[in-house]
């Protein structure tokens, strides 16, 4: 479920909040996700919250990210409940020294990661990718921090007309390949062909099947 947060973020002019339905492969709704972005005078503030359930298995996630105005990460907070598994951690970026400190709450330990120049957490990276797409460019392949370090490559496959809810929409189809310590998947994402490149729909292949995340109009 964490890849929903990884993939569906927005870069509005100043502030935006969007709601998405999280659906089983059959079309059955599992819950909703809310995406929020706010631009302050000195920094961006991003948040993704999700509340979904598979029978007998609760899924509740919250991801909060801060970044400079030029989209270099400052910090990332992650908390989630997946059934009986719970996690709560914070990653603080030192952009000058190219490091990120990952600290698990409640005495879970601390570790340091080496990161690239203007390193990005997953939420901030997607803001950058959206901004590049709006300017007619693709974000270059790079590493992204989301607890572990992931290599992300984006491929544009052309324009396509899709159905979102009961409405048709023109969209740009993007394939995002994500590789990490235990992850190797390709996600299909459709962005509206508006100025903000609003994310409309994503199809995410997981072990339980392909899930969809769809904008609620």
């Amino acid at each position: 479920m964490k890849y929903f947060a990884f993939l569906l973020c927005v870069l509005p002019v100043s502030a935006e909040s969007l709601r998405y339905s999280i659906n089983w492969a059959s079309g059955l709704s599992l819950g909703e996700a809310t995406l929020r972005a706010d631009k302050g005078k000195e920094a961006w503030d991003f948040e993704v919250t999700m509340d979904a359930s598979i029978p007998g298995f609760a899924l509740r996630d919250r991801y909060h990210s801060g970044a400079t105005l030029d989209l270099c990460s400052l910090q990332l907070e992650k908390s989630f409940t997946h059934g009986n598994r719970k996690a709560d951690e914070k990653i603080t970026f030192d952009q000058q020294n190219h490091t990120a400190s990952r600290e698990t709450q409640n005495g879970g330990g601390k570790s340091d990661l080496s990161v690239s120049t203007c390193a990005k957490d997953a939420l901030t990276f997607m803001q950058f990718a959206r901004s590049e797409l709006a300017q007619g460019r693709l974000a270059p392949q790079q590493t992204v921090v989301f607890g572990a370090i992931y290599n992300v490559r984006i491929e544009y496959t052309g324009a396509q007309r899709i159905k979102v809810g009961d409405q048709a929409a023109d969209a740009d189809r993007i394939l995002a390949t994500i590789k990490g310590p235990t992850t190797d998947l390709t996600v299909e994402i459709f962005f509206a062909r508006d100025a903000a490149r609003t994310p409309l729909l994503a199809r995410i292949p997981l072990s339980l099947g392909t899930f969809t995340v769809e904008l609620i109009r």
Side-chain angles (χ1 to χ4, degrees):
M1 301 300 287
K2 63 184 178 181
Y3 303 113
F4 297 154
F6 198 111
L7 293 164
L8 292 177
C9 301
V10 297
L11 186 60
V13 174
S14 58
E16 191 165 17
S17 180
L18 299 175
R19 289 173 56 233
Y20 292 83
S21 62
I22 302 171
N23 305 315
W24 191 265
S26 65
L28 178 67
S29 177
L30 299 175
E32 292 189 1
T34 300
L35 312 175
R36 180 186 59 78
D38 292 293
K39 184 180 182 181
K41 293 182 179 180
E42 298 181 354
W44 279 98
D45 186 85
F46 307 118
E47 183 179 61
V48 175
T49 58
M50 292 178 285
D51 192 343
S53 294
I54 299 172
F57 194 87
L59 294 161
R60 295 183 180 88
D61 295 45
R62 177 182 179 271
Y63 305 95
H64 179 251
S65 173
T68 63
L69 295 180
D70 55 353
L71 295 174
C72 301
S73 290
L74 299 171
Q75 67 179 32
L76 171 67
E77 297 175 355
K78 300 172 53 182
S79 62
F80 62 81
T81 299
H82 295 172
N84 294 325
R85 184 187 174 200
K86 297 183 179 182
D88 191 355
E89 68 179 57
K90 181 178 181 179
I91 300 172
T92 303
F93 292 80
D94 184 340
Q95 296 287 355
Q96 183 174 355
N97 292 312
H98 307 299
T99 61
S101 297
R102 179 184 182 186
E103 184 174 5
T104 303
Q105 304 301 310
N106 302 318
K110 185 176 182 179
S111 60
D112 291 328
L113 303 170
S114 295
V115 296
S116 60
T117 300
C118 191
K120 296 172 175 56
D121 64 87
L123 278 66
T124 300
F125 169 76
M126 289 307 296
Q127 312 309 315
F128 171 69
R130 293 282 312 289
S131 178
E132 291 293 283
L133 185 61
Q135 298 177 70
R137 303 189 295 259
L138 287 180
Q141 181 173 338
Q142 60 192 270
T143 56
V144 175
V145 180
F146 198 55
I149 292 181
Y150 297 83
N151 187 280
V152 180
R153 179 172 59 87
I154 292 177
E155 177 186 0
Y156 176 71
T157 64
Q160 187 171 327
R161 193 160 180 82
I162 64 170
K163 189 174 182 180
V164 181
D166 59 356
Q167 298 183 28
D170 292 322
D172 288 318
R173 181 176 181 264
I174 297 291
L175 296 180
T177 301
I178 305 168
K179 295 184 178 182
T182 60
T183 301
D184 188 351
L185 77 163
T186 298
V187 179
E188 184 181 25
I189 316 171
F190 293 90
F191 296 101
R193 308 195 78 192
D194 55 12
R197 292 297 191 267
T198 303
L200 299 174
L201 176 71
R203 298 190 180 108
I204 306 169
L206 300 175
S207 59
L208 294 175
T210 299
F211 292 81
T212 64
V213 182
E214 184 175 330
L215 181 67
I216 299 174
R217 294 289 191 178

